């Protein structure tokens, strides 16, 4: 076949693909109307990036308290001549009348202070803050140091870790999108916690994150000269994600969990690496541990169990919704070393939120998220 024929075949093939896509969209009916409050933060901007590539959703509201009436593309130049909309307010009540789903990428306490049952009757809400993740309001208030304004809605919220709560998510009106550290930690540890083959009282989690995890606000500790060529622990024995991780792992193993969680800030933009350690039950083998991971995640698209002895790396998941996990059994100490790597802004925030939206609206949960990790 000559080059002209090859090109013609290529064009025909792609035209058929486009026609199939169009037909599929018509069969689905109207596009999902999505609104974002907090669109000009890192997680909000990532939501924009993902939803712009989504075949079944359109963004109808770019909400931002700081940039009202300013062009969204003037805040994030990567969408210049792609997004023409201006930023609107954070009026959740008004937005609820225009959107099918609202994403709130806002500071802790915002949504709890404005969300009502009436809003939830009008549209679905996916909250990227911690306001509805922890079921015990007293624990939330203790760790976040703020009063919860709508505790009655906590029970209505579903914890949106898709690989574990998929069926509950499908029928939810309010999703508590998990935190970045809890997502990676829970998925890295969950198979062994659920199987009861590790002593949860010995569990220690060492975590490392890029600086985007601290948000887009100006902070001296996050300045280039403070972060570059440096690594430091922070939130030692006091990080706010600790009770969230403990709660989720307690559901997995069937009893209360108390653990050590120590995060570290590292000089890169995106990514989380988790290394967790726990004593194994007597008689446990490396083959058994690996089999538990394969059984837990063998059918999961976004959780990749790596080959034996291959350690997760943040560069292999950057810009994607994948979580890479693995486990190594240390025979000398009798401990399991559980590892996970993911992009903190994608699977750790916006990507997981879109995955939740897909489940809530009966779509393929991979829609808009088939992102090959970026290298380098």
């Amino acid at each position: 076949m000559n080059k002209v024929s090859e090109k013609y075949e290529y064009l025909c093939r792609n035209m058929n693909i486009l026609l199939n896509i169009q037909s599929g969209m018509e069969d689905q009916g109207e596009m999902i109307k999505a609104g974002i409050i907090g669109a000009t933060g890192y997680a909000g901007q990532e939501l924009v990036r993902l939803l712009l590539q989504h075949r079944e959703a359109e963004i109808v509201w770019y909400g931002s308290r700081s940039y009202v009436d300013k062009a969204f593309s003037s805040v994030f130049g990567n969408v210049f001549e792609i997004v023409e909309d201006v930023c609107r307010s954070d009026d959740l009540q008004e937005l609820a009348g225009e959107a099918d789903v609202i994403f709130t990428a806002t500071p802790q306490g915002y949504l709890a202070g404005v969300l009502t049952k009436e809003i939830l009757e009008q549209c679905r809400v996916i909250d990227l803050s911690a306001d509805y993740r922890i079921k015990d309001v007293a624990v939330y208030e203790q760790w976040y140091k703020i009063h919860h304004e709508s505790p009655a809605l906590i029970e209505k919220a579903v914890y949106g870790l898709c690989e574990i709560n998929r069926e509950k998510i499908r029928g939810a009106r309010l999703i508590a999108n998990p935190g970045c550290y809890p997502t990676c930690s829970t998925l890295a540890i969950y198979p062994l916690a659920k199987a009861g083959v590790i002593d949860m009282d010995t569990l220690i989690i060492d975590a490392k994150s890029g600086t985007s995890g601290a948000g887009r606000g100006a902070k001296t500790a996050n300045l280039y000269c403070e972060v570059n060529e440096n690594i430091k622990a922070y939130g030692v024995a006091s990080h706010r994600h600790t009770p969230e991780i403990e709660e989720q792992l307690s559901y997995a193993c069937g009893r209360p969990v108390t653990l050590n969680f120590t995060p570290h800030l590292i000089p890169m933009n995106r990514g989380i690496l988790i290394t967790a350690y726990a004593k194994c039950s007597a008689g446990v083998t490396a083959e058994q541990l690996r089999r538990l991971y394969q059984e837990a995640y063998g059918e999961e698209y976004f959780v990749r169990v790596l080959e034996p002895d291959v350690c997760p790396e943040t560069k292999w998941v950057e810009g994607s919704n994948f979580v890479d996990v693995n486990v190594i059994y240390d025979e000398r100490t009798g401990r399991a070393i559980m590892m996970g790597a993911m992009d903190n802004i994608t699977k750790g925030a916006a990507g997981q939120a879109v995955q939740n939206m897909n489940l809530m609206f009966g779509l393929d949960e991979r829609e808009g998220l088939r992102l090959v990790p970026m290298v380098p």
Side-chain angles (χ1 to χ4, degrees):
M1 182 181 297
N2 60 40
K3 290 185 178 180
V4 175
S5 298
E6 287 178 354
K7 186 174 182 179
Y8 177 76
E9 182 182 6
Y10 173 85
L11 291 172
C12 289
R13 184 167 63 250
N14 281 277
M15 182 61 70
N16 286 333
I17 291 172
L18 290 172
L19 289 172
N20 288 336
I21 290 172
Q22 183 179 7
S23 175
M25 291 173 65
E26 290 171 352
D27 290 342
Q28 288 290 333
E30 295 185 359
M31 300 279 277
I32 298 166
K33 294 180 173 59
I36 305 169
I37 300 294
T40 53
Y42 287 140
Q45 190 277 335
E46 185 79 341
L47 276 167
V48 171
R49 183 177 78 93
L50 298 176
L51 290 172
L52 288 174
Q53 302 173 77
H54 199 291
R55 296 185 301 176
E56 308 289 350
E58 61 177 333
I59 304 171
V60 298
W61 187 294
Y62 296 79
S64 173
R65 181 175 294 178
S66 302
Y67 295 94
V68 175
D69 294 332
K70 292 187 178 181
F72 184 80
S73 63
S74 72
V75 183
F76 288 103
N78 61 320
V79 294
F80 177 64
E81 294 191 349
I82 298 174
V83 174
E84 298 180 354
D85 300 65
V86 298
C87 296
R88 300 172 68 178
S89 72
D90 60 356
D91 188 332
L92 198 71
Q93 186 70 57
E94 182 181 354
L95 173 54
E98 297 188 22
D100 300 309
V101 60
I102 298 174
F103 297 92
T104 49
T106 50
Q108 329 301 336
Y110 165 80
L111 187 61
V114 297
L115 186 63
T116 64
K117 292 181 180 179
E118 290 70 29
I119 289 174
L120 288 175
E121 289 172 357
Q122 288 181 272
C123 65
R124 302 184 186 191
V125 176
I126 301 173
D127 181 31
L128 278 69
S129 82
D131 284 0
Y132 298 98
R133 294 176 190 161
I134 298 171
K135 292 302 182 184
D136 188 332
V137 67
V139 173
Y140 169 88
E141 293 178 345
Q142 174 190 347
W143 285 82
Y144 285 87
K145 311 300 182 188
I146 55 177
H147 176 68
H148 201 293
E149 298 292 342
S150 54
L153 295 178
I154 293 177
E155 286 305 313
K156 295 182 180 297
V158 172
Y159 190 74
L161 190 52
C162 301
E163 287 74 18
I164 294 174
N165 290 334
R166 183 171 283 113
E167 295 309 314
K168 293 180 180 179
I169 291 166
R170 295 186 198 278
R173 303 291 298 181
L174 172 60
I175 292 291
N177 207 63
C180 52
Y181 282 130
T183 294
C184 200
S185 298
T186 302
L187 291 174
I189 298 165
Y190 184 84
L192 305 192
K194 186 173 180 61
V197 297
I198 54 174
D199 181 353
M200 300 299 287
D201 293 330
T202 67
L203 183 60
I204 296 173
I205 301 174
D206 178 286
K208 298 174 177 65
S209 176
T211 58
S212 59
R216 196 164 180 252
K219 306 178 186 73
T220 300
N222 296 336
L223 293 173
Y224 177 82
C225 289
E226 303 294 328
V227 174
N228 189 47
E229 297 294 333
N230 188 33
I231 182 169
K232 63 181 179 181
Y234 67 99
V236 179
S238 62
H239 194 278
R240 299 183 298 182
H241 283 173
T242 304
E244 185 181 338
I245 299 170
E246 290 178 340
E247 182 171 311
Q248 295 307 310
L249 291 178
S250 72
Y251 296 147
C253 71
R255 68 174 183 82
V257 171
T258 302
L259 53 82
N260 284 116
F261 171 71
T262 305
H264 300 74
L265 185 66
I266 56 178
M268 66 182 190
N269 292 334
R270 306 163 74 122
I272 278 182
L273 182 71
I274 295 293
T275 310
Y277 309 85
K279 196 79 173 178
C280 290
S281 304
V284 165
T285 65
E287 292 75 17
Q288 179 186 0
L289 298 183
R290 181 165 182 80
R291 185 168 62 252
L292 289 170
Y293 277 78
Q294 292 170 329
E295 291 172 354
Y297 300 130
E299 301 300 320
E300 295 294 342
Y301 181 79
F302 290 118
V303 182
R304 305 189 298 190
V305 181
L306 300 179
E307 296 297 321
D309 299 322
V310 175
C311 297
E313 299 182 40
T314 57
K315 72 176 181 179
W316 300 130
V317 292
E318 185 174 356
S320 80
N321 205 52
F322 290 113
V323 183
D324 286 354
V325 298
N326 215 342
V327 61
I328 291 178
Y329 178 58
D330 184 354
E331 293 185 3
R332 190 176 64 86
T333 62
R335 293 188 180 96
I337 302 171
M338 299 154 279
M339 300 167 286
M342 71 176 200
D343 188 311
N344 59 294
I345 308 178
T346 313
K347 179 61 172 174
Q352 185 144 255
V354 172
Q355 191 178 350
N356 274 305
M357 181 193 76
N358 289 338
L359 287 170
M360 296 169 83
F361 286 87
L363 304 176
D364 184 332
E365 66 189 85
R366 300 169 296 178
E367 175 56 44
L369 298 171
R370 293 181 176 90
L371 307 168
V372 177
M374 301 181 297
V375 178

